[in-house]
Amino acid sequence: MTSSATALESILKRQRMIVLSGLIGLVALAWIYLGFESTRMAEMGMAEMDMAMMQMRSWTALETSLTFAMWAIMMVAMMVPSAAPTILLYGLVRRKKSTLEHVLAPTGAFALGYIIAWVAFSVLATALQYFLHREAYLSAGMTLNNAVAAGLLMVAVGVYQLTPTKEACLKHCRSPAEFLSRHWRKGTGGAVILGLHHGLYCLGCCWGLMALLFVGGVMNLLWVALLAGFVLIEKLTPMGHGAARIAGLILLLAGGAIALQGALA
């Protein structure tokens, strides 16, 4: 191996490590924030939280912004880990298609595009949380306080887990090489669009699972971690397709039982 080839390989490894370190740092900061917020809520106590929710009949601009920030950061914590292989693969393909000095910025742009898709979802999640809060459907722990509603939501997500749309979106998320080859775009602007495109597929794959946060608790750190772990299983392991279907069946049965129990209570 020549000295120039050795230097090239060293640069490639360094750039990959920069991207990977950036992703790890971003996700770590997001989880630290979630841990801090979860601890703060736990220390408040249920009685104090109930009183705060009763007093907060309508959200101020600050409260709305903080809720949106919470959702956006939570989506980064939950979804970026499952997208990391695709982001790293994009960087590898980009290195083969362009000069070395034009790799890091487009790779960051691709990651940004992916995150933008989940930021858009966070806007919708914030609006939904506002509606549920206004109509008194949320408990102090930010869970649905109506068993019928919680059960029906689980049933709806379970049905979606079994649909062709879910399967198609999951297939794209599980096949990053095929996705990149079919939808490749040039330039940094193209990288943002490509990342957004990939993020929309992931959104189509996982929006239902994210809606389950209203069942287990929006800031229940254990529930958040379990959902994030399941997303990793779905998207990155050989058992992903089977796990999606099994989860769908479990949600159908459990959600139906919870809704029925709530209706009879």
Side-chain angles (χ1 to χ4, degrees), residues 2-263:
T2 65
S3 59
S4 60
T6 302
L8 175 61
E9 182 179 352
S10 176
I11 293 173
L12 295 178
K13 288 182 178 179
R14 184 168 66 250
Q15 290 183 339
R16 182 179 179 84
M17 286 304 302
I18 291 173
V19 173
L20 183 59
S21 298
L23 293 175
I24 292 174
L26 180 64
V27 172
L29 288 174
W31 278 105
I32 290 171
Y33 166 83
L34 294 181
F36 173 80
E37 285 296 302
S38 179
T39 301
R40 184 180 65 83
M41 290 179 62
E43 290 176 347
M44 284 180 65
M46 295 301 293
E48 187 177 349
M49 290 171 63
D50 280 329
M51 184 176 297
M53 290 191 70
M54 290 176 63
Q55 293 174 347
M56 193 176 67
R57 295 182 181 276
S58 61
W59 291 0
T60 65
L62 176 60
E63 289 160 345
T64 302
S65 299
L66 290 175
T67 302
F68 164 73
M70 176 197 71
W71 275 101
I73 294 171
M74 184 158 49
M75 291 305 100
V76 169
M78 297 179 72
M79 298 307 303
V80 170
S82 66
T86 304
I87 295 170
L88 292 172
L89 180 60
Y90 173 85
L92 178 62
V93 174
R94 182 79 188 197
R95 281 190 286 269
K96 294 181 177 180
K97 289 179 175 287
S98 64
T99 57
L100 289 173
E101 61 269 24
H102 294 153
V103 171
L104 293 178
T107 304
F110 179 85
L112 176 63
Y114 179 85
I115 292 172
I116 287 173
W118 285 102
V119 168
F121 170 82
S122 299
V123 174
L124 298 177
T126 300
L128 177 58
Q129 184 172 336
Y130 170 76
F131 169 78
L132 294 174
H133 171 79
R134 187 188 67 185
E135 300 300 320
Y137 289 140
L138 285 183
S139 70
M142 287 188 282
T143 61
L144 287 169
N145 55 21
N146 183 288
V148 175
L152 291 178
L153 175 58
M154 293 172 67
V155 169
V157 176
V159 170
Y160 184 74
Q161 287 285 114
L162 304 175
T163 62
T165 301
K166 164 73 179 194
E167 185 175 356
C169 291
L170 182 58
K171 181 181 178 181
H172 278 280
C173 290
R174 290 173 56 84
S175 307
E178 180 181 351
F179 167 79
L180 292 175
S181 65
R182 289 183 59 185
H183 303 286
W184 186 263
R185 290 174 177 266
K186 297 180 179 179
T188 301
V192 175
I193 295 174
L194 186 62
L196 176 61
H197 194 171
H198 181 59
L200 292 176
Y201 275 123
C202 288
L203 181 55
C205 174
C206 300
W207 69 267
L209 297 173
M210 299 302 103
L212 292 177
L213 288 165
F214 288 111
V215 175
V218 173
M219 283 304 297
N220 181 336
L221 203 59
L222 177 59
W223 184 240
V224 172
L226 287 174
L227 288 176
F230 184 76
V231 168
L232 287 172
I233 292 173
E234 268 197 340
K235 293 172 65 175
L236 302 182
T237 70
M239 64 184 77
H241 279 293
R245 291 186 171 276
I246 291 172
L249 292 173
I250 292 173
L251 287 168
L252 277 172
L253 294 174
I258 291 172
L260 180 60
Q261 184 179 12

